[in-house]
Amino acid sequence: MMGRIAAGLLAAALVVSLAGCGPGAPQFKNTDLTGADYGKALRLTDHTGRMRSLEEFKGSAVVVFFGFTQCPDVCPTTLAGMKAVKQQLGEDGKRMQVLFVSVDPERDTQELLSQYVTAFDASFVGLRGDAEATARVAKDFKVFYQKVPGATPHTYTVDHSAGSYVFDPAGRLRLYVRHGQSPDAIAHDIELLLAGQ
């Protein structure tokens, strides 16, 4: 009798655990962060000198990526990939906003950010703050970054987390995108978010 009750409870638990994987649940190709309690404090100055916050971009799927303009590989390939995603979305690409947050406030001036992000797409927004604001936002997003000395004081590089965060049109953090993910997979997930999934 106890064995049958235990088996019944196990079966019920399995049904409940699989309920989120049913046809009604979004089938994301990237890491689902729905319900995450971080990535909320983003208030920085954009590449035009205007103070911006996440709330302003409600209605769009927002991709947030942390990097720096002198990054030799991860940053330009990520931004080029996001440009490809936007193009793949067609008309829906107008409802996708990319925010590039600098982790190098010492060198990434407003002018430099303006030239850098818009070289990938005119709609992309570069964000910066002072050292304190940068640290605060990075901490809220659980992003790691660290200056690595170079041959001279101004030729340092910055090690940093390489993934991107995606918010749905309601302003909720929903996805984590690993560096190197294909534009097809990212576009697939953003289409789901734009459709209200």
Side-chain angles (χ1 to χ4, degrees), residues 28-63:
F28 295 125
K29 296 183 183 295
N30 292 280
T31 304
D32 190 340
L33 295 180
T34 303
D37 192 29
Y38 59 93
K40 297 179 179 178
L42 182 60
R43 185 170 169 77
L44 295 166
T45 304
D46 74 11
H47 65 261
T48 70
R50 179 179 160 199
M51 185 62 73
R52 307 298 288 268
S53 64
L54 273 174
E55 291 75 23
E56 293 180 54
F57 300 101
K58 284 188 177 177
S60 296
V62 179
V63 180

Side-chain angles (χ1 to χ4, degrees), residues 7-187:
L9 289 173
L10 181 61
L14 184 60
V15 167
V16 169
S17 71
L18 292 176
C21 301
Q27 300 298 308
F28 295 125
K29 296 183 183 295
N30 292 280
T31 304
D32 190 340
L33 295 180
T34 303
D37 192 29
Y38 59 93
K40 297 179 179 178
L42 182 60
R43 185 170 169 77
L44 295 166
T45 304
D46 74 11
H47 65 261
T48 70
R50 179 179 160 199
M51 185 62 73
R52 307 298 288 268
S53 64
L54 273 174
E55 291 75 23
E56 293 180 54
F57 300 101
K58 284 188 177 177
S60 296
V62 179
V63 180
V64 179
F65 175 71
F66 290 75
F68 64 113
T69 62
Q70 296 185 50
C71 175
D73 43 29
V74 171
C75 304
T77 56
T78 296
L79 291 172
M82 291 306 167
K83 169 70 172 181
V85 170
K86 183 178 178 183
Q87 290 174 331
Q88 190 166 326
L89 289 170
E91 276 298 302
D92 281 343
K94 294 176 182 176
R95 296 179 59 211
M96 171 186 164
Q97 179 63 61
V98 174
L99 303 179
F100 176 82
V101 181
S102 172
V103 292
D104 187 10
E106 186 178 330
R107 294 183 300 190
D108 285 348
T109 63
Q110 177 183 320
E111 181 181 5
L112 187 54
L113 269 179
S114 177
Q115 295 169 358
Y116 185 75
V117 296
T118 59
F120 292 94
D121 189 273
S123 73
F124 289 5
V125 174
L127 296 172
R128 68 182 304 274
D130 59 19
E132 183 181 338
T134 302
R136 185 169 56 247
V137 170
K139 181 179 180 182
D140 187 60
F141 275 78
K142 302 184 183 298
V143 165
F144 164 84
Y145 69 100
Q146 179 178 304
K147 187 188 286 189
V148 179
T152 71
H154 294 290
T155 59
Y156 63 86
T157 187
V158 182
D159 287 343
H160 61 92
S161 303
S164 302
Y165 295 93
V166 184
F167 292 76
D168 67 16
R172 298 172 300 185
L173 178 56
R174 300 294 301 278
L175 300 170
Y176 177 77
V177 179
R178 295 181 319 278
H179 174 65
Q181 180 67 283
S182 73
D184 287 352
I186 301 168

